Structure formats: structure tokens, C-alpha cells
């Protein structure tokens, strides 16, 4: 809240100014009054104010002298002058000193309030300009620091820029920590201003090491929107205290953003290039691993064992493809949700192995589509950091793929025909009879058959055979299952009858089709 001070040698005017308008309404707090310029100057020295409303003609020190003296110590203070008709020459001097307005006595309240509104507008513009200036300064500082940790700036240039920007350099040790805020649906920049977030993160980190007076904290966002925190000090033991508080910092950042935070500690460095090496090591962890996603904060060292990278994922692709072809979404989702967590028991999950398995699961589903769009498989992978997020992505892609492949535009069909199509979809591997189904629907089989032929363009038996041969084709192409087994799986008990039906609808035999695709 802004502060105002009144100065007038007439006590009634000085006191009356406090009640002449609603100062709180304008965001202004009354800090006091004085009856002469000298007393006012002493009070203002002790407690600076934003606005002074002063008379001109006063004992000991007049209003013009007061304005000069206050401007010397507080140049941003603003002034409104109260004057009489005979004091206009003094008013002209006041104008040269930079007053906001002069108001004749007796005071016109409307004019006073209009002047206050004008001053308030100036204050708001000054605040905005100051914010922009500070924001530009923070962006410039972040850019220099980013170039430093990436090794894109020469030592001498960095030292010169650091001096200008107030970046502390005269310390022996630098501890690098990188805090990755896990947001797999939206980028951090869409949820928070990165520079504003780094400023808050810096404050949190400083508070966590507040007992260490000799530790400086530098915080800035890097190009990936991760928060880089550098703890600089002259004593190695201070860096151990930093480590103890890193998890506290991660917890506070998580609470502030309401998102999980993954923190990685780099090695302690003592020279210009060492910070770059420490930063690269910490960032490498985010590229090499996923986390389970079940904890709000995860803390890791940047040097991790290599053997975890060698794990190999093994899963029954044929069984999975059969589930896809059968079109049972619940069974497919159950398979995915069991296969990925079972592969990796550690809290640190090798990213490459896990992503390869996930991609295999998604591509197996997309390959069954007539016109697959593979972009959705890969588009989100770079932003996924957790196993939970990866499973959700795989399930989402596979479900959409199955819906695309199995979609029949049922709204074009009447209710009874739509029911028949659904029966084929669900029970194609079983004995299907129009007579049996018509009894369930309480309709004459001949009428139901004519209705189906009219709307679908095929007889019911032809539609069933088409559907079975389509499923058989997918199994022949995408699995190594024997032809006799495939025939039984799609509803043909007699293998020779299956061969005849397959050649009738596909134009080639099952063996010939598999040979063409294998070749």
C-alpha cells in the first residue's frame, strides 16, 4: 500500500486532509502530518512516503524547500501543492520542481481525487515497467547461465557477464542439482512461467539452507524447463548440508506446483568446466531412466550402476496379437497393465528397454489397421517420465487403434441389424445361426435375413464368413500360429471347409497368403 504525508501550518487543514476522502479506496495509507517543513522533512527521513501533500507558505521551511530536500533523498516521492491565489509565483517554481498538481484553497475535493487517480495510474505503470525490467533482467541472467552449463560461452565472456548480472563466482565449490517437475500432459511453461518458477524455487532452496550463511544459491530454468540449482560455497562440508536439504527443497517444490518432482544431484565441481560436466551427468539421468510415478518426490545421484541398462524385455507377442484380433479390449488392457510393471521391479527403470517394449505393444495394434497413423505412437514419448504415464499412453493408443479397426458405423443400421452385427463381432468363433439369433430377438428368421441383406448388402452367412476370414488373415500375417489352429480359432471346425472358404473370399489359399507376406 502507498503512503501519504500531510504538511500544513494550519492544524485544521492538516488534520482535515485525512478525512477529506477515502484514502483506503485508492490503496493509500496515511502515515502522519506536520505543521512545518522542517518537522515534515525529519519525519519523512525516518519513514519514506510515496506522496506528500504540502502547503507552500509555512514557518521554518516552506513547501518548495521541503520538496527540494525530499527529492534529494527520495527522488520517486510525488507532491501535490496547496496554495492561495496570491502565491502563484511560488506555484510556478513548484511546477519546475516536478509537482503533480497545485490545488487552490479551499480544497476542491473532486480535483484532489482526480489528481490522486492520475498519480495512482502512474504508480501502476511504474510497477509494470519495473516488473518488465526485472523480468528482462532475469531472462538475460538465465540465458547466460544456460550458456555456461551447456559450454556455449567462453570463460572470459562469462566472467564479465557474471559481474554485470551479479552472478557470484568467487567460491571454491559448486554443487549442481537439477529438479525435473513431472508434467506429462502439459508443458511446464503452460502451467507456470519458467523464470517466475525458478525465482520461487531459488527462494525455497535458500530457505532450506538458511543456517548456512556462507552458501549462495543460483537458480534458473534450462532449455528443457528443468530447474537448475547451483549451491556455491568455500567449504566442502557446506555441500554436505546442501545434500541433506535437497530432498526438502524437492518436497516444497512439489507442494507448490502440486506435481511430482524428480531431483538429480551432480558431482561437486571446483572449476568452470566442472559445472558443465556435473550438469550433463545430471541431465543424462532423465534421458536414461523412467521413474515409477508413485512417489511425489524422487532423489537420485547422477552416477548410477550400468547393469540396469542390460535388462531385456520378453513378452508373448503372439498371445497379445491374438487378443488384439479378437477385439476384447478389457483383455488387451489387462495384458498391457501386467506386462510393463512385471518387466521392471526397480524404482529406476531403464528408459530404452521400457520404451522399446511400449512401442512394440503400440505398433502391434497399429499394424492391424488399414490406414494406421503412427505419429500418435511417438509424439508423446519424449515428455513421458514415469512408468504410470507410459502405461496410460500405451493403453490410450491401443484402445483408439482397436476402435478404429473394429468400428462399424452402427448408427446407419436399424436396431435389429446392429444387434446382429454385434453378435458376429462378439461370437464369430462360435456356431452362429440366423434362426437361433432370430428366436432371441423374437423375429421371423426370413424377415430378419431380408432386413440384414437390404441394409448391409450381404447375406448374414456371407457377412459371418467375411468377418471370420478377415480375422484369420490377420492371424496368418501377424503370428506363427498353425493354419489348423487359426481355422478353429475363427470358427471353422472342418479345416478343408476353411481352406475353401478362405480361397473363395481372399482369392488365395492361407498358405499362399502367408508366403506372400513373409516374402
Amino acid at each position: 500500500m502507498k503512503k501519504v504525508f500531510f504538511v500544513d501550518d494550519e492544524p485544521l487543514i492538516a488534520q482535515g486532509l485525512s478525512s477529506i476522502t477515502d484514502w483506503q479506496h485508492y490503496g493509500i495509507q496515511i502515515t502522519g502530518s506536520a505543521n512545518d517543513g522542517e518537522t515534515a522533512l525529519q519525519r519523512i527521513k525516518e519513514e519514506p512516503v510515496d506522496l506528500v501533500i504540502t502547503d507552500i507558505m509555512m514557518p521554518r521551511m516552506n513547501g518548495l524547500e521541503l520538496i527540494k530536500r525530499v527529492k534529494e533523498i527520495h527522488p520517486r516521492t510525488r507532491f501535490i501543492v496547496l496554495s492561495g491565489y496570491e502565491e502563484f509565483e511560488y506555484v510556478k517554481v513548484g511546477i519546475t520542481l516536478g509537482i503533480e498538481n497545485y490545488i487552490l484553497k479551499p480544497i476542491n475535493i473532486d480535483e484532489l481525487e482526480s489528481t490522486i487517480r492520475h498519480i495512482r495510474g502512474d504508480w501502476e505503470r511504474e510497477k509494470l515497467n519495473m516488473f518488465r525490467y526485472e523480468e528482462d533482467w532475469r531472462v538475460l541472467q538465465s540465458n547466460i547461465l544456460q550458456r555456461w552449463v551447456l559450454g556455449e560461452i567462453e570463460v572470459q565472456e562469462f566472467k564479465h557477464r557474471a559481474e554485470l548480472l551479479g552472478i557470484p563466482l568467487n567460491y571454491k565449490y559448486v554443487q549442481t542439482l537439477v529438479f525435473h517437475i513431472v508434467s506429462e500432459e502439459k508443458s511446464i511453461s503452460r502451467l507456470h512461467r519458467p523464470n517466475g518458477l525458478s525465482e520461487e524455487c531459488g527462494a525455497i532452496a535458500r530457505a532450506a539452507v538458511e543456517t548456512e550463511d556462507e552458501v549462495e544459491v543460483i537458480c534458473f530454468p534450462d532449455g528443457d524447463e528443468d530447474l537448475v540449482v547451483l549451491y556455491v560455497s568455500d567449504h566442502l562440508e557446506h555441500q554436505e548440508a546442501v545434500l541433506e536439504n535437497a530432498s526438502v527443497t524437492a518436497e516444497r517444490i512439489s507442494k507448490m506446483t502440486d506435481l511430482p518432482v524428480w531431483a538429480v544431484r551432480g558431482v561437486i565441481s571446483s572449476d568452470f568446466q566442472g559445472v558443465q560436466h556435473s550438469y550433463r551427468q545430471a541431465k543424462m539421468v532423465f534421458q536414461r531412466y523412467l521413474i515409477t510415478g508413485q512417489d511425489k518426490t524422487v532423489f537420485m545421484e547422477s552416477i548410477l550402476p550400468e547393469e540396469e541398462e542390460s535388462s531385456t524385455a520378453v513378452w508373448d507377442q503372439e498371445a497379445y496379437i491374438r487378443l488384439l484380433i479378437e477385439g476384447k479390449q478389457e483383455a488387451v488392457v489387462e495384458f498391457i497393465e501386467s506386462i510393463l510393471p512385471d518387466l521392471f521391479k526397480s524404482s529406476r527403470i531403464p528408459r530404452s528397454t521400457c520404451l522399446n517394449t511400449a512401442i512394440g505393444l503400440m505398433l502391434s495394434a497399429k499394424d492391424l489397421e488399414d490406414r494406421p497413423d503412427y505419429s500418435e505412437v511417438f509424439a508423446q514419448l519424449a515428455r513421458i517420465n514415469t512408468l504410470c504415464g507410459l502405461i496410460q499412453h500405451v493403453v490410450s493408443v491401443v484402445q483408439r487403434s482397436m476402435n478404429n479397426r473394429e468400428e462399424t458405423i452402427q448408427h446407419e443400421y436399424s436396431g435389429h441389424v446392429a444387434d446382429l452385427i454385434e453378435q458376429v463381432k462378439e461370437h464369430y468363433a462360435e456356431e452362429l445361426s440366423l434362426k437361433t439369433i432370430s428366436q432371441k430377438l423374437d423375429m421371423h428368421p426370413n424377415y430378419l435375413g431380408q432386413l440384414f441383406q437390404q441394409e448391409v448388402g450381404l447375406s448374414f452367412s456371407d457377412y459371418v464368413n467375411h468377418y471370420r476370414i478377415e480375422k484369420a488373415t490377420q492371424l496368418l500375417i501377424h503370428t506363427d500360429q498353425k493354419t489348423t489352429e487359426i481355422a478353429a480359432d475363427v470358427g471353422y471346425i472342418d479345416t478343408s471347409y476353411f481352406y475353401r472358404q478362405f480361397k473363395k473370399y481372399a482369392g488365395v489359399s492361407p498358405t499362399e497368403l502367408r508366403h506372400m507376406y513373409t516374402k
Side-chain angles (χ1 to χ4, degrees):
M1 185 171 282
K2 299 295 183 180
K3 298 178 180 179
V4 64
F5 192 91
F6 308 128
V7 192
D8 199 295
D9 62 345
E10 297 182 46
L12 289 177
I13 294 180
Q15 294 170 14
L17 281 167
S18 63
S19 58
I20 200 170
T21 188
D22 183 0
W23 295 98
Q24 293 281 339
H25 173 73
Y26 297 105
I28 299 174
Q29 174 188 349
I30 300 168
T31 59
S33 63
N35 299 125
D36 63 81
E38 197 167 294
T39 303
L41 180 62
Q42 189 59 39
R43 295 276 301 278
I44 292 169
K45 281 181 178 179
E46 295 171 359
E47 183 180 3
V49 297
D50 303 286
L51 174 63
V52 175
I53 300 179
T54 180
D55 191 11
I56 289 183
M57 304 304 294
M58 295 181 298
R60 300 178 68 189
M61 181 188 292
N62 68 28
L64 298 181
E65 183 64 22
L66 175 64
I67 293 170
K68 286 181 187 177
R69 299 284 295 275
V70 172
K71 277 187 171 290
E72 288 173 1
I73 55 175
H74 302 303
R76 302 182 73 85
T77 301
R78 296 174 179 270
F79 299 87
I80 297 174
V81 166
L82 305 178
S83 70
Y85 284 105
E86 70 278 5
E87 298 167 352
F88 188 67
E89 290 303 317
Y90 293 98
V91 171
K92 286 196 288 186
V93 177
I95 291 171
T96 64
L97 292 174
I99 64 174
E100 299 301 315
N101 196 6
Y102 69 93
I103 298 176
L104 296 175
K105 296 177 180 179
I107 297 170
N108 183 317
I109 297 175
D110 289 340
E111 185 176 3
L112 175 64
E113 291 181 340
S114 175
T115 304
I116 293 168
R117 286 194 295 271
H118 174 76
I119 293 172
R120 188 176 66 169
D122 288 343
W123 281 334
E124 289 172 354
R125 283 187 288 275
E126 283 179 359
K127 183 178 179 181
L128 180 61
N129 289 336
M130 182 60 68
F131 170 79
R132 287 173 176 164
Y133 170 78
E134 290 174 355
E135 186 71 10
D136 290 343
W137 181 85
R138 282 194 292 269
V139 169
L140 179 59
Q141 187 185 59
S142 293
N143 288 342
I144 296 301
L145 290 166
Q146 285 178 31
R147 289 176 64 195
W148 176 28
V149 296
L150 290 171
E152 296 175 353
I153 187 171
E154 296 294 331
V155 176
Q156 290 305 316
E157 182 187 353
F158 175 69
K159 287 182 177 179
H160 180 259
R161 299 292 177 87
E163 186 177 350
L164 289 175
L165 294 168
I167 300 170
L169 290 179
N170 300 321
Y171 290 90
K172 289 184 180 178
Y173 303 104
V174 182
Q175 173 71 74
T176 305
L177 273 94
V178 183
F179 294 89
H180 180 76
I181 301 173
V182 180
S183 174
E184 296 178 328
E185 293 183 3
K186 293 182 180 179
S187 63
I188 293 300
S189 59
R190 293 180 62 184
L191 301 171
H192 303 272
R193 290 185 306 105
N195 276 295
L197 192 59
S198 73
E199 191 174 353
E200 293 180 64
C201 173
I204 291 171
R206 289 182 195 96
V209 292
E210 60 186 356
T211 56
E212 302 297 332
D213 296 331
E214 298 180 50
V215 177
E216 280 262 15
V217 176
I218 305 168
C219 184
F220 60 96
D222 67 9
D224 299 323
E225 300 179 348
D226 291 336
L227 299 174
V228 183
V229 182
L230 306 177
Y231 300 88
V232 294
S233 67
D234 281 329
H235 304 286
L236 200 56
E237 61 266 23
H238 289 160
Q239 298 300 337
E240 298 306 316
V242 164
L243 265 195
E244 293 172 6
N245 290 297
S247 58
V248 176
T249 302
E251 287 170 8
R252 291 180 183 173
I253 296 171
S254 176
K255 187 174 181 180
M256 178 183 69
T257 59
D258 197 30
L259 291 167
V261 173
W262 182 3
V264 176
R265 171 207 178 189
V267 296
I268 296 174
S269 54
S270 56
D271 58 27
F272 184 84
Q273 282 78 21
V275 173
Q276 298 164 10
H277 175 67
S278 179
Y279 170 75
R280 284 195 297 270
Q281 274 192 318
K283 291 287 286 187
M284 189 69 69
V285 173
F286 301 129
Q287 298 172 17
R288 288 174 55 193
Y289 292 92
L290 295 174
I291 54 178
T292 61
Q294 296 173 355
D295 300 318
K296 288 296 281 185
T297 58
V298 176
F299 184 79
M300 289 186 188
E301 301 284 345
S302 61
I303 301 175
L304 295 170
E306 291 292 331
E307 59 268 17
E308 293 185 58
E309 290 284 357
S310 62
S311 60
T312 304
V314 179
W315 52 286
D316 191 340
Q317 187 175 16
E318 277 206 13
Y320 174 64
I321 289 175
R322 281 198 297 273
L323 291 176
L324 289 171
I325 292 171
E326 289 170 6
K328 304 285 179 62
Q329 286 202 18
E330 287 185 8
V332 169
V333 171
E334 188 178 331
F335 184 95
I336 294 169
E337 290 180 342
S338 65
I339 199 75
L340 284 170
D342 282 349
L343 291 174
F344 310 103
K345 302 296 186 183
S346 169
S347 61
R348 295 191 300 266
I349 306 164
R351 174 180 281 268
S352 59
T353 306
C354 202
L355 259 60
N356 287 340
T357 303
I359 290 169
L361 290 166
M362 290 186 283
L363 290 183
S364 293
K366 299 297 288 184
D367 287 344
L368 295 175
E369 293 184 49
D370 289 336
R371 297 178 181 178
D373 175 11
Y374 293 102
S375 62
E376 67 171 342
V377 171
F378 303 99
Q380 301 296 321
L381 290 180
R383 204 160 58 225
I384 290 175
N385 301 282
T386 68
L387 181 60
C388 295
L390 184 63
I391 291 171
Q392 289 173 4
H393 177 61
V394 173
V395 168
S396 177
V397 169
V398 171
Q399 284 183 323
R400 280 196 299 273
S401 178
M402 293 179 74
N403 289 337
N404 291 341
R405 184 166 51 85
E406 293 291 342
E407 185 179 30
T408 55
I409 312 173
Q410 294 193 22
H411 63 270
E412 291 186 359
Y413 302 125
S414 64
H416 294 306
V417 172
D419 287 340
L420 281 174
I421 291 174
E422 189 64 27
Q423 286 292 318
V424 175
K425 180 179 174 182
E426 294 293 327
H427 305 287
Y428 67 90
E430 304 168 14
E431 180 69 33
L432 282 174
S433 163
L434 191 59
K435 182 178 180 181
T436 305
I437 297 173
S438 65
Q439 288 174 351
K440 292 180 182 178
L441 297 176
D442 196 23
M443 296 183 67
H444 195 282
N446 290 343
Y447 172 72
L448 193 57
Q450 290 174 359
L451 191 63
F452 190 93
Q453 174 85 39
Q454 183 179 345
E455 293 189 25
V456 178
L458 293 171
S459 69
F460 179 71
S461 59
D462 275 345
Y463 183 84
V464 171
N465 278 315
H466 265 296
Y467 198 86
R468 286 172 170 171
I469 298 305
E470 180 185 338
K471 295 295 180 184
T473 300
Q474 292 170 348
L475 289 168
L476 286 164
I477 293 172
H478 297 287
T479 75
D480 293 328
Q481 196 175 1
K482 294 180 180 179
T483 305
T484 53
E485 294 174 352
I486 292 174
D489 284 349
V490 299
Y492 293 101
I493 299 173
D494 185 343
T495 305
S496 60
Y497 180 67
F498 166 69
Y499 269 82
R500 291 196 301 273
Q501 292 298 314
F502 193 95
K503 187 154 189 176
K504 173 183 175 183
Y505 289 100
V508 292
S509 71
T511 305
E512 289 170 333
L513 181 126
R514 175 170 272 174
H515 179 72
M516 285 191 296
Y517 276 88
T518 304
K519 188 177 180 180

